[in-house]
């Protein structure tokens, strides 16, 4: 009888899968479970909290701060909490840490105290954009005491344009940019004549050239989905499938909702595959919304996934750990 009857408290729900199919969330009260047929997950609906450990961050005006946060949350939908995220606690912590870092680095040091409540609300809204799809709602974010570890740099204050910042660093106020006449001149070396034809290296005939494996060529820059698919496909190998083990669903950013280009990269089945449309096996680990140019830069190791996510150019829906493996994927593709 102990396996048949489960007592569910007012603050709990029991998500039941019968023969692998989701039924519904049951409770509170006495719930009957069929042994060997039903699989259950018990979900706690009470308010919980976790701490975002203090991070050393650089503010927009060049100041350095150490700041953390306390995040209060609860499960709003037990079914989504079980079916849409594998590790709710860890994923929520990663989202909170990333959102906090993004907003702190976009503010001046003086704003952290003046607009502290507003920043907390913005961080809360940013976290909820992701966690509500998991059935988790963040009700409050509270910043810890802001510890200043570096005073703001007056040169960087208000310099949102990197070219203006560079000009102020190279030519501070009171100085003038050098004129062409003040620039040192370097005569073109003419003492060494160009090599004669007899000195130029011989060109090997095509028959003696070594064959080039397409997988050994670095990924080219791509501007369309078709170019990306054609360039990535030769790089997919069974070793990548073994090491990555994820299916990615990509949505091209900047297109109309009714005509969004969707493509996939399957690194879980067979020898790996990439193509346009939905993943053929019907499931994926993460949906990434980004431009083709950004995905090309990620795969060419010109940009890290964390930087792209922090800047807001990359949106992730699903398993964040799978999305973070893009860096490992790019490293293996460019070996």
């Amino acid at each position: 009888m102990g396996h048949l009857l489960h007592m569910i408290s007012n603050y709990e729900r029991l998500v039941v899968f019968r023969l692998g199919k989701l039924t519904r969330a049951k409770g509170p009260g006495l719930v009957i479970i069929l042994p060997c047929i039903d699989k259950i997950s018990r979900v706690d609906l009470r308010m919980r909290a976790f701490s975002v450990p203090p991070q050393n961050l650089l503010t927009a005006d060049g100041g350095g701060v150490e700041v953390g946060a306390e995040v209060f949350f609860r499960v709003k939908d037990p079914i989504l909490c079980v079916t849409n995220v594998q590790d709710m606690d860890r994923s929520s912590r990663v989202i909170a840490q990333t959102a906090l870092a993004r907003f702190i680095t976009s503010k001046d040091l003086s704003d952290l105290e003046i607009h502290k409540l507003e920043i907390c609300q913005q961080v809360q809204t940013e976290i909820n954009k992701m966690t509500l799809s998991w059935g988790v709602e963040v009700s409050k974010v509270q910043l810890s005491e802001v510890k200043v570890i570096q005073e703001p740099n007056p040169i960087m204050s208000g310099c949102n344009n990197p070219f203006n910042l560079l000009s102020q660093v190279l030519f501070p106020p009171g100085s003038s940019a050098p004129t062409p006449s003040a620039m040192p001149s370097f005569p073109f070396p003419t003492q060494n004549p160009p090599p004669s034809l007899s000195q130029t290296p011989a060109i090997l005939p095509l028959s003696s050239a070594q064959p080039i494996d397409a997988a050994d060529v670095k990924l080219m820059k791509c501007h369309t989905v078709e170019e990306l698919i054609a360039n990535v496909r030769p790089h997919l190998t069974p070793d990548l499938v073994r090491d990555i083990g994820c299916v990615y669903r990509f949505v091209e950013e900047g297109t109309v909702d009714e005509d969004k280009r969707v493509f996939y990269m399957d690194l879980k089945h067979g020898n790996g595959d990439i193509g346009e449309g939905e993943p053929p096996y019907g499931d994926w680990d993460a949906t990434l919304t980004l431009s083709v140019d950004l995905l090309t830069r990620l795969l060419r190791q010109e940009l890290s996934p964390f930087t792209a996510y922090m800047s807001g150019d990359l949106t992730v829906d699903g398993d964040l750990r799978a999305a973070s493996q893009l860096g490992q994927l790019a490293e293996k593709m460019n070996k």
Side-chain angles (χ1 to χ4, degrees):
M1 291 294 292
H3 295 286
L4 290 174
L5 302 178
H6 289 257
M7 183 63 68
I8 308 302
S9 303
N10 284 328
Y11 55 83
E12 292 179 319
R13 294 295 182 271
L14 206 63
V15 179
V16 181
F17 294 85
R18 179 156 295 170
L19 296 177
K21 183 178 180 181
L22 175 67
T23 57
R24 62 187 180 90
K26 298 183 179 181
L30 198 61
V31 177
I32 299 177
I33 298 299
L34 302 180
C36 303
I37 295 179
D38 291 343
K39 182 180 179 181
I40 61 174
S41 293
R42 190 182 293 262
V43 180
D44 194 323
L45 303 181
R46 290 176 291 185
M47 184 71 68
R48 285 180 281 176
F50 62 82
S51 298
V52 177
Q55 308 176 68
N56 293 335
L57 300 171
L58 192 66
T59 58
D61 55 359
V65 296
E66 182 181 88
V67 61
E70 299 292 330
V71 179
F72 299 85
F73 70 100
R74 67 181 183 88
V75 174
K76 188 177 181 180
D77 189 324
I79 292 180
L80 292 179
C81 179
V82 172
T83 58
N84 283 13
V85 63
Q86 183 177 11
D87 189 340
M88 181 263 295
D89 287 330
R90 185 179 183 278
S91 299
S92 299
R93 292 173 187 270
V94 172
I95 288 291
Q97 186 172 358
T98 304
L100 177 63
R102 179 186 301 177
F103 279 97
I104 295 299
T105 54
S106 66
K107 302 293 183 181
D108 290 343
L109 183 57
S110 58
D111 293 338
L112 298 185
E113 290 297 338
I114 300 175
H115 304 292
K116 192 172 183 179
L117 181 59
E118 179 184 345
I119 294 175
C120 291
Q121 293 173 345
Q122 291 175 343
V123 174
Q124 176 184 339
T125 302
E126 183 71 14
I127 299 174
N128 276 327
K129 286 181 181 179
M130 178 66 72
T131 59
L132 284 176
S133 63
W134 308 338
V136 178
E137 181 181 38
V138 174
S139 58
K140 183 180 180 181
V141 174
Q142 184 174 350
L143 291 183
S144 64
E145 182 180 356
V146 179
K147 180 181 178 181
V148 179
I149 57 179
Q150 176 181 312
E151 292 298 327
N153 187 345
I155 294 179
M156 297 184 65
S157 181
C159 287
N160 296 324
N161 189 327
F163 295 101
N164 292 340
L165 173 60
L166 181 61
S167 65
Q168 292 195 34
V169 173
L170 295 178
F171 313 117
S175 66
S176 57
T179 60
S181 59
M183 298 294 291
S185 59
F186 300 95
F188 186 82
T190 57
Q191 62 272 22
N192 295 326
S196 62
L197 292 178
S198 60
Q199 295 174 321
T200 57
I203 300 176
L204 295 176
L206 292 177
S207 58
S208 63
Q210 295 294 328
I212 298 177
D213 188 355
D216 295 333
V217 181
K218 187 174 181 179
L219 185 69
M220 298 173 58
K221 290 187 177 181
C222 307
H223 303 286
T224 65
V225 174
E226 291 79 4
E227 291 178 357
L228 181 69
I229 292 174
N231 280 280
V232 170
R233 182 170 281 123
H235 294 266
L236 302 183
T237 63
D239 291 338
L240 278 180
V241 175
R242 184 189 67 245
D243 296 336
I244 304 300
C246 295
V247 177
Y248 297 100
R249 177 179 180 268
F250 298 102
V251 178
E252 185 182 11
E253 190 182 47
T255 54
V256 183
D257 289 344
E258 292 79 6
D259 192 31
K260 281 190 174 180
R261 301 287 297 276
V262 176
F263 55 105
Y264 67 92
M265 187 188 301
D266 187 344
L267 296 175
K268 184 181 289 186
H269 306 97
N271 295 327
D273 190 23
I274 183 172
E276 192 167 356
E278 299 289 348
Y281 289 89
D283 63 337
W284 53 86
D285 296 278
T287 297
L288 283 70
T289 303
L290 73 174
S291 64
V292 172
D293 178 67
L294 178 60
L295 180 55
T296 304
R297 293 174 61 194
L298 292 174
L299 296 179
R300 286 169 57 90
Q301 292 186 292
E302 297 175 358
L303 188 69
S304 70
F306 179 78
T307 303
Y309 184 82
M310 289 282 293
S311 65
D313 295 329
L314 169 64
T315 303
V316 180
D317 184 13
D319 190 352
L320 287 176
R321 286 177 292 182
S324 65
Q325 284 186 292
L326 277 178
Q328 180 184 356
L329 169 63
E331 181 180 352
K332 292 181 179 297
M333 289 180 61
N334 288 279
K335 277 187 176 180

